[in-house]
Amino acid sequence: MRLFAKWHIWLGWLVGVPILMWTITGLIMVWHPIEQVRGDHLRIEREQALLPAGNPVPIALPADGSVQFQEMRVAMQNGRPVWFATHPDGRVERFAADGTGVPLPAIDEDYVRALAAEQIVGGADPVAVEQFSAEKAPFDFRRPVPSWRVTLQDGAHIYIDAQTGEIAAVRSRFWRVFDFVWGLHIMDLQEREDTSHPVLILFAALGVLGSLLGCVLMFRRRKARVKT
């Protein structure tokens, strides 16, 4: 039991800081409902637009197979049906689904501003509108796709996919705080994605071992007091 007590003390010194960090970061992450963290309160609720009768109209592709798509889906956009065609390399193109099949123009700043004003609370008066390439995606977006970022007055970031013209992510200020403490929680501040790496597993295992030793010592000491 004395040996267990020594191990418990040394493990306490070793894993005390990580355990305190996990507790604090866990408290911060549950401070707000997850819907608020995701920015759902910034989205303007709208009725889902239905496709008109007779739509969508298929796109005529070359018979020689020179043009192929990995995936195709259709949705209403700006009051008209639109095909979203995904190439094997992940690139997405938009085509009119009203029978013409013409390629739709690229997403520009005017489109982005109009979309933010229509679908986001406070989106009608943004602080800034910026465009990013897939290779230089902002850290709080972390998706390898070209995008537009609309910055709101309260500091929230609205990301719009530059290929599809759809809202890809809403990053509130608290989301960025949540993201940082999540990185601390899993001990991965660079990518904030790896939840199973040697450092985290080692400290978690040491924390479990220290807790078990503490339980053993607690019951042993309680039994000793009863005997006396």
Side-chain angles (χ1 to χ4, degrees):
M1 297 304 298
R2 290 180 179 176
L3 182 60
F4 282 176
K6 289 182 179 180
W7 288 352
H8 182 67
I9 292 172
W10 283 109
L11 285 175
W13 282 106
L14 183 61
V15 302
V17 172
I19 289 177
L20 179 61
M21 180 186 69
W22 290 332
T23 305
I24 293 174
T25 55
L27 175 61
I28 294 174
M29 286 190 291
V30 301
W31 194 259
H32 293 292
I34 191 63
E35 294 80 11
Q36 188 173 351
V37 176
R38 293 171 178 167
D40 291 348
H41 63 290
L42 295 176
R43 294 178 182 264
I44 298 175
E45 294 187 5
R46 303 178 304 127
E47 293 186 3
Q48 186 175 3
L50 301 177
L51 292 173
N55 282 285
V57 179
I59 300 176
L61 299 178
D64 60 2
S66 57
V67 178
Q68 294 183 352
F69 298 119
Q70 183 177 359
E71 178 187 64
M72 293 188 67
R73 63 182 177 90
V74 67
M76 292 294 294
Q77 194 172 57
N78 285 345
R80 62 181 175 183
V82 175
W83 278 110
F84 298 91
T86 304
H87 292 262
D89 61 359
R91 183 169 49 91
V92 180
E93 286 188 275
R94 300 186 306 147
F95 298 90
D98 55 5
T100 61
V102 296
L104 297 181
I107 305 299
D108 57 13
E109 184 174 343
D110 291 337
Y111 176 96
V112 169
R113 288 182 176 273
L115 181 66
E118 177 187 2
Q119 298 189 16
I120 298 296
V121 177
D125 187 25
V127 174
V129 177
E130 305 164 271
Q131 187 175 14
F132 297 91
S133 65
E135 295 77 18
K136 296 183 179 180
F139 187 72
D140 63 342
F141 185 46
R142 294 204 292 274
R143 297 184 189 178
V145 296
S147 62
W148 286 86
R149 183 174 70 188
V150 179
T151 303
L152 305 184
Q153 296 285 347
D154 64 357
H157 292 161
I158 312 300
Y159 287 100
I160 297 172
D161 191 315
Q163 297 181 113
T164 66
E166 298 173 314
I167 294 178
V170 176
R171 306 305 195 206
S172 63
R173 276 187 171 179
F174 187 76
W175 186 97
R176 297 197 287 276
V177 174
F178 184 98
D179 186 51
F180 175 74
V181 297
W182 167 251
L184 286 175
H185 197 76
I186 64 173
M187 298 183 171
D188 179 19
L189 279 175
Q190 292 185 340
E191 301 296 332
R192 301 177 188 176
E193 298 288 345
D194 192 356
T195 59
S196 179
H197 55 85
V199 175
L200 179 60
I201 294 173
L202 174 62
F203 277 102
L206 292 176
V208 171
L209 180 59
S211 299
L212 291 175
L213 289 175
C215 291
V216 172
L217 292 171
M218 179 182 65
F219 285 108
R220 177 63 179 175
R221 289 177 181 176
R222 183 179 180 184
K223 186 177 180 181
R225 290 196 189 99
V226 172
K227 286 184 175 180
T228 58

